[in-house]
Structure formats: C-alpha cells, structure tokens
C-alpha cells in the first residue's frame, strides 16, 4: 500500500449540512468506535481530514519514422505517434489513515479518471463497455482503508474495494514516476487494477508483510471474471536499511489469469506466477538509484517474461531533476508485448475474444530513456506543476523487427508531457 500523498484540505461538513444530509446513528457509532466521540462534533472532526485534489496530464510522443498504423509499438500511455492527447483528468476524494498511530482508524479513497490512459485500466463489468472512443472514464480507486492496532505495535492496515495494483515501481499517477512513457515491465509484467482486499502488517519498523486476495487482474465477478477463480499476493518490505537510505520491496502473485473462452476449462487451473523485487537507494540528497527485477511465468500460455530495469535520478536544482531509465526485457514467446489497434481492444482481449493487435516474434528488448523533470513551486492553489521532456530509444537485441509496422529493429521517439495538480 502506498503512502498517502500530501493534499490540500477541504471540509465537506458544510456541504452535508446545507444539503440536509446526515450520517445515520449506526455510522456515528462506527465513528466513535474508530477513535472519535459520537454525535455531530465527532462526525465533523472525522470529516475535517477529508481532502479533495484534482490533476490533469497531457502529452505527445513523436516518432520520426511515422508508422503507417500511427502506433508506437510497445507503448500504452503514449501509443498514438505524433498526436497530442489528454492522458488524465482525475479527481480524488479521500481520508488518509496514519499507520504510525496505534489506534483504530477508518478512511477511504475515491478516484475518478477521464482520458486516454483509462483505456488500459478498466475493470471488466464495471466500466469497460461504457465508452468506445479514445477518451474514457474509470473509477481508478474506490476503497475503504482501515488501520487496526492488532498483533504488533505497528498494527495492520487494510484496503478493500477497487484497488490499484501494488506491484512494480511505476504507477498510474504521473507525479510518482520519472517519465511520461512506461517501461515494458510496467506495462506487460505487472497487474493494473483489482477488486479485492490488501493487507499490510507492520511487524517491526524494519519489516512489513503484505498479503491479499482479489478476483484477478482487471476482472470482477460472475461473467466478468473470464476464468471464475481468485488470485492473491504475498510479499514483504524491508524499510530503512543502510542507515535509512535503502528500501526493498518484494511482491509475488499467483492465480489463473487467462480466459476459458481462449484456453478452455484448463484456464481455471493454469496459474500465472508474477514476481517483482525492487530496491531504492538514496545515495545523497541529490542522487538516488533504483533497480527492479521481474519474472513472470504463465502455465496456460506456456510463456515467460523476465526483465531488469534500472533508474537514476539526480536533482540538478531544487526545481530541475535529470532522470535515466535503462531496461532489458525478454518476451520468450511473443505473447506479452503487444500493441492494441483500437480503443476497446485491450479490455476485449481479457474475455478471450480476437481483437486487432500488433504482435512481434520472441524478442529481447533493450530500452534507454533520458529526460528531465521541471517542477517549480508555484503556490496560489497549484499543488504540483511538472514539465517532462524525454528521449527514448528501443531496440530488438536478438535481430527481430518489431517496430514501425515491422520494418525496423529499433525506434527513436521523443516527446513531453505536462502535469498540473490543484
């Protein structure tokens, strides 16, 4: 579970009063159980920590080779070559919990996201059929957050509902990652969204244990779960090693992820094993490095991927940071690195149906990305402002030609995105 982001505060108690809305007695009693007095004063105190933030992101990824199908192969969030697009317009209403406090706490997160990124983060049966154009709408998060002071002094945290997948380094929120584009590992070898519950047990300050269960990657229930079986996580965090400079996160995941419509009955028992470990080291106040190793095996597809991603970040000035990312990614059968050629193809593929896509033979990909993040402090209600130009070079390391409609062994792209948060 990620740490809560700093957000500007706003109280909704006035809105509730003006609208004639009030929490029922049972809800007021629940607030009292979780460490606040009952009645209006207790409810107002609980609502006082509710925050609302908004964020908008848009960008362009130029490709001088101008592929005939207009698609940057192997790129989800900046897949349309030479076209400006709105990636995200999102609003998040939340009340964070504080794991450092040894008391019962309850919070929540509700996030709605509109834009081109939504095409890849739907949940089957929730939002995948609502839109067919490039800009779509999703509930990116909708979960209850609870802190339980059980078992150890650090207690147990729980999130239940619609969750963003915890595995990997790069996330959907552009302000938490160094680049506009994502690594192959972040697109093809980690999950995106879940319906389920995740737990983090703070065993000792040095060690957290993570576990959880869900319906599958981007699936829900009934006919919206193509294989009708659950999946789950287990792993650990090592915090504050090397004098507080080093943090290590390991997560593994197991469960069937293929559709019965594609593989037949064996899809219910054919496991996919996801494994990701990353380590972040803060060398000094300006320089930090991160390494990520990922291995995935799918019994149903008889396929493997494995990769290593390295990141480096150097703060040139308080508002300007240089970023590097290098990756080697092996798709052992050519069944994972795909580009989807219309706005609904990605989610339709989860059902096992045939969709228009661009594939490549088994390939070892090398990718180098360089860029800077310009992030001045503007104030006046602006929570964050970022401009992030980047240059990226991708190449097949085993002689295949996956790029630019299968014409080239390598591709050069460059572009920029901008983020405004309030």
């Amino acid at each position: 579970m990620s740490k809560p982001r700093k957000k500007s505060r706003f109280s909704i108690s006035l809105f509730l009063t003006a609208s004639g809305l009030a929490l029922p007695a049972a809800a007021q009693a629940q607030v009292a159980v979780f460490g606040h007095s009952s009645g209006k004063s207790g409810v107002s105190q609980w609502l006082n920590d509710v925050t609302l933030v908004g964020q908008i992101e848009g960008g362009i990824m130029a490709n001088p080779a101008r592929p005939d199908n207009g698609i940057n192969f192997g790129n989800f969030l900046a897949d349309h070559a030479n076209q400006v697009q709105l990636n995200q317009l999102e609003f998040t209403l939340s009340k964070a919990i504080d794991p450092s406090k040894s008391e019962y706490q309850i919070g929540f997160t509700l996030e709605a996201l509109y834009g081109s990124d939504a095409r890849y983060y739907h949940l089957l049966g929730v939002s995948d059929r609502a839109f067919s154009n490039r800009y779509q709408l999703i509930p990116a998060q909708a979960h209850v957050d609870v802190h339980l002071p059980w078992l150890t002094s650090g207690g147990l945290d729980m999130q239940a509902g619609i969750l963003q997948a915890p595995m990997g380094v790069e996330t959907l929120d552009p302000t938490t990652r160094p680049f506009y584009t994502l690594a192959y590992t972040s697109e093809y070898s980690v999950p995106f969204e879940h319906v389920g519950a995740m737990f983090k047990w703070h065993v000792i300050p040095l060690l957290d244990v993570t576990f959880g269960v869900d319906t599958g990657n981007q699936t829900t229930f009934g006919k919206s779960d193509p294989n009708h079986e659950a999946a789950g996580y287990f792993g650990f965090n090592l915090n504050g090693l090397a004098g507080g400079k080093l943090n290590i996160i390991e997560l593994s995941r197991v469960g069937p992820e293929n559709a019965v419509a594609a593989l037949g009955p064996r899809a219910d028992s054919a496991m996919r094993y996801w494994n990701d470990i990353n380590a972040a080291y803060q060398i000094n106040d300006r320089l930090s490095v991160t390494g990520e190793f990922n291995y995935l095996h799918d019994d149903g597809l008889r396929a493997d991927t494995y990769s290593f991603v390295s990141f480096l970040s150097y703060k040139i000035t308080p508002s300007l940071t240089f970023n590097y990312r290098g990756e080697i990614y092996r798709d052992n059968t050519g069944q994972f690195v795909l580009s989807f050629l219309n706005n609904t193809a990605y989610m339709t593929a989860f059902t096992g149906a045939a969709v228009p896509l661009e594939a490549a033979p088994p390939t070892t990909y090398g990718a180098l990305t360089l860029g800077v993040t310009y992030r001045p402090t503007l104030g006046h209600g602006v929570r964050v402002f970022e401009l992030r130009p980047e240059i990226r070079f991708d190449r097949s390391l085993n002689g295949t030609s996956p790029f630019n409609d299968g014409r080239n062994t390598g591709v050069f792209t460059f572009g920029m995105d901008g983020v405004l948060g309030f």
Side-chain angles (χ1 to χ4, degrees), residues 278-301:
N278 62 79
Y281 186 72
Q282 187 73 41
I283 296 174
N284 54 46
D285 291 342
R286 292 192 171 192
L287 181 63
S288 64
V289 293
T290 300
E292 178 182 16
F293 175 76
N294 185 287
Y295 173 69
L296 180 153
H297 171 75
D298 191 293
D299 285 339
L301 300 177

Side-chain angles (χ1 to χ4, degrees), residues 134-147:
R134 192 189 308 183
Y135 298 145
Q136 301 182 13
L137 179 67
I138 59 169
Q141 297 186 77
H143 50 83
V144 174
D145 307 333
V146 177
H147 178 71

Side-chain angles (χ1 to χ4, degrees), residues 368-390:
L368 173 65
T369 311
L370 303 175
V372 296
T373 299
Y374 176 60
R375 186 172 183 169
T377 301
L378 298 182
H380 304 290
V382 178
R383 179 174 55 87
V384 60
F385 173 74
E386 289 184 352
L387 292 175
R388 300 188 300 182
E390 72 172 69

Side-chain angles (χ1 to χ4, degrees), residues 194-205:
H194 300 303
V195 172
M198 288 291 300
F199 299 84
K200 178 170 282 189
W201 178 25
H202 304 284
V203 182
I204 57 176

Side-chain angles (χ1 to χ4, degrees), residues 202-221:
H202 304 284
V203 182
I204 57 176
L206 178 70
L207 174 66
D208 297 328
V209 173
T210 301
F211 54 96
V213 63
D214 57 74
T215 59
N217 180 35
Q218 298 182 257
T219 67
T220 54
F221 299 98

Side-chain angles (χ1 to χ4, degrees), residues 64-82:
R66 297 184 178 275
D68 293 338
N69 62 12
I71 298 296
N72 290 322
F73 179 75
N75 195 323
F76 281 173
L77 305 188
D79 53 357
H80 286 264
N82 309 311

Side-chain angles (χ1 to χ4, degrees), residues 1-2 109 143-146 157-161 163 196-199:
M1 299 175 189
S2 59
T109 301
H143 50 83
V144 174
D145 307 333
V146 177
D157 295 334
M158 181 194 77
Q159 295 181 337
L163 311 171
M198 288 291 300
F199 299 84

